[in-house]
Amino acid sequence: MRAAETAEFAEFVHSRSAALFRTGLLLTGSREVADDLVQSTLERVWRHWGRVARADSPEAYARRVLVNLANDRWRGQRGGTEVPLEQAGAHDRGVDPYRQVVQRDELMRALHLLPVRMRTVLVLRYYDDMSDEGIADLLRISASTVRSQAVRGLAKLREVVRGAEDVRGAEGRVAGSERAG
């Protein structure tokens, strides 16, 4: 590979690694796995950089590789080997100065309760600001399927978040009655 291509790839890595990591983290819920996904993605992109750099959007190519790797990982774990995330909110009683952190954590946990395609659509749409058509091209599904998955995914997220709020409210009432008794 020529020095110019190496410099272009280094610039691509520098400018896009954080976005790829964020997408990987949202898809997997694990910093370690997201790191591994980004590393594998960049390795594959590097192997084909000459062709990728000439494409319309090297970032779209890298994102497709990342999503495919995440989906492959998910398919390989369907046998029940994945450990579910802990329940959020156990420490959340009363006023929490870190409420935004807790809410973000709850959202991450709720995202991982969704089926992989739904989660992928929501991450690409709301975190990567991709259009329905762009997501459809990336996932090789129709734009109407993207919209349908997004609507259903948001509805499920709302159910999960409301359920978590109900549990926290009940925990607060129980804790309050224990102190009073």
Side-chain angles (χ1 to χ4, degrees), residues 12 16 19-20 22-24 27 41 45 57-70 120 123-125 127-131 134-135 138-139:
F12 174 79
R16 301 313 312 152
L20 290 170
R22 182 188 70 218
T23 300
L27 291 174
T41 297
V45 170
S57 176
E59 181 180 358
Y61 179 87
R63 190 179 293 121
R64 178 182 293 243
V65 170
L66 181 86
V67 167
N68 288 344
L69 287 171
T120 302
V123 167
L124 293 175
R125 184 186 239 192
Y127 287 93
D128 286 348
D129 291 325
M130 289 182 67
S131 68
I135 296 168
L138 181 71
L139 299 179

Side-chain angles (χ1 to χ4, degrees), residues 104-151:
R104 185 169 292 147
D105 182 61
E106 287 172 352
L107 179 59
M108 291 283 293
R109 292 172 191 279
L111 267 173
H112 287 80
L113 297 174
L114 298 177
V116 73
R117 182 183 283 177
M118 239 179 237
R119 178 174 61 232
T120 302
V121 165
L122 291 177
V123 167
L124 293 175
R125 184 186 239 192
Y126 295 105
Y127 287 93
D128 286 348
D129 291 325
M130 289 182 67
S131 68
D132 292 346
E133 292 75 20
I135 296 168
D137 288 343
L138 181 71
L139 299 179
R140 297 183 179 131
I141 57 177
S142 70
S144 61
T145 300
V146 169
R147 289 187 290 275
S148 160
Q149 292 286 301
V151 167

Side-chain angles (χ1 to χ4, degrees), residues 171-181:
E171 287 174 349
R173 286 190 298 277
V174 168
S177 66
E178 288 173 355
R179 282 188 293 253

Side-chain angles (χ1 to χ4, degrees), residues 13 77 98 111 116 128 137 162 168:
V13 169
Q77 291 187 345
Y98 302 103
L111 267 173
V116 73
D128 286 348
D137 288 343
R162 277 191 208 115
R168 278 195 314 279

Side-chain angles (χ1 to χ4, degrees), residues 34-75:
D35 272 336
D36 290 345
L37 282 175
V38 170
Q39 192 81 335
S40 296
T41 297
L42 293 174
E43 176 201 351
R44 290 184 184 193
V45 170
W46 168 250
R47 281 190 273 153
H48 304 286
W49 183 250
R51 181 172 43 97
V52 172
R54 289 188 302 271
D56 289 343
S57 176
E59 181 180 358
Y61 179 87
R63 190 179 293 121
R64 178 182 293 243
V65 170
L66 181 86
V67 167
N68 288 344
L69 287 171
N71 287 343
D72 290 348
R73 180 188 163 278
W74 177 257
R75 283 185 206 111

